[in-house]
Amino acid sequence: MSAPLILAMDTAAELCSVAVWRGGLLASRDARSKNAHSRLLLPMVDEVLRAAGLTLAEVDAVAVDAGPGSFAGVRIGVAAAHGLVIGAGGGAQLVTVSSLKALAHAADAEWALPAVDARMGEVHWARCRCENGRVEPLDGESVGAPAALEALHGDARPWVGVGSGWDVHHAALSAAAGREIFWLPGRMPHADHIAALAALELVSADLHGAGEK
């Protein structure tokens, strides 16, 4: 079974990024912009495909960050992904990946606490265990005030915070947890991590399908 060729995109935050993956990262580009994702995205897709020596018709799957994040940014990315699946000739799959799982993957820690600023004093967040490249939310994704992290009281696991929620609400999140949580400032979801997670999802789906035959 050959590794799937994945074109991955992330437009859910200020960083617009695109990556090509087949058993590992082949090419990746990113650019920071608040309002230019729609202008940057497709030229970046062309650039990474050329850099990898590939064409859109060869792509097995298009993976995209489905949020949480900027509503406009997520909409741009998902719409572009649908268009690229069609442009690939109809044989490509569409794979959506959560921003929170992408951030947890980026934290490079066993116990990750990704959080995305939801505005209005709230955060999207999850408790995740990361092992062998896989990210498993322990109890789903939640949205609410930072005080929700009171659920971590008495939890001594070495959590690592990551994402814009920590950048904006670091003090409140740590206070709610009842202790200082180590966090990685300035991290945003990236197509590299979307691609890696999508690859694992596709391989798992293939193995599951093979087992049912």
Side-chain angles (χ1 to χ4, degrees), residues 7 9 48 54 58 61 92 95 108 121 123 132 154 169 187 194 203 207:
L7 172 65
M9 303 177 295
V48 294
L54 299 164
E58 296 175 84
V95 181
D108 194 24
V123 293
N132 298 323
H169 302 287
R187 300 295 177 89
I194 296 294
V203 169
L207 292 174

Side-chain angles (χ1 to χ4, degrees), residues 145-168:
L149 258 70
E150 289 177 354
L152 294 184
H153 279 214
D155 187 335
R157 284 174 285 193
W159 294 104
V160 175
V162 59
S164 61
W166 287 92
D167 295 336
V168 176

Side-chain angles (χ1 to χ4, degrees), residues 176-203:
R179 60 187 173 92
E180 184 71 15
I181 301 291
F182 176 77
W183 64 298
L184 303 168
R187 300 295 177 89
M188 287 180 276
H190 196 285
D192 293 5
H193 303 289
I194 296 294
L197 291 168
L200 288 171
E201 182 175 331
L202 289 169
V203 169

Side-chain angles (χ1 to χ4, degrees), residues 2 8 16 22 29 40 43 51 61 63 66 73 99 125-127 133-135 166 189 195 199:
S2 61
C16 179
R22 176 183 274 158
R29 299 288 187 275
L40 292 170
S99 290
W125 68 286
R127 298 187 301 171
R134 298 183 181 278
V135 175
W166 287 92

Side-chain angles (χ1 to χ4, degrees), residues 26-203:
L26 301 181
S28 176
R29 299 288 187 275
D30 58 53
R32 189 181 295 262
S33 175
K34 289 184 177 180
N35 302 305
H37 287 11
S38 59
R39 175 175 57 82
L40 292 170
L41 185 59
L42 293 181
M44 288 172 66
V45 167
D46 290 338
E47 186 179 351
V48 294
L49 287 172
R50 285 198 308 271
L54 299 164
T55 66
L56 182 59
E58 296 175 84
V59 169
D60 296 309
V62 178
V64 64
D65 188 333
S70 158
F71 175 77
V74 170
R75 183 177 59 184
I76 288 167
V78 171
H82 278 281
L84 289 165
V85 166
I86 295 171
Q93 299 182 57
L94 178 66
V95 181
T96 58
V97 179
S98 160
S99 290
L100 295 178
K101 290 184 71 172
L103 285 166
H105 191 273
D108 194 24
E110 181 179 5
W111 304 103
L113 276 174
V116 172
D117 182 27
R119 313 290 184 182
M120 305 296 291
E122 293 187 326
V123 293
H124 298 276
W125 68 286
R127 298 187 301 171
C128 299
R129 184 175 186 181
C130 309
E131 188 174 21
N132 298 323
R134 298 183 181 278
V135 175
E136 296 296 336
L138 300 185
D139 41 18
E141 299 182 359
S142 304
V143 60
L149 258 70
E150 289 177 354
L152 294 184
H153 279 214
D155 187 335
R157 284 174 285 193
W159 294 104
V160 175
V162 59
S164 61
W166 287 92
D167 295 336
V168 176
H169 302 287
H170 170 240
L173 289 169
S174 287
R179 60 187 173 92
E180 184 71 15
I181 301 291
F182 176 77
W183 64 298
L184 303 168
R187 300 295 177 89
M188 287 180 276
H190 196 285
D192 293 5
H193 303 289
I194 296 294
L197 291 168
L200 288 171
E201 182 175 331
L202 289 169
V203 169

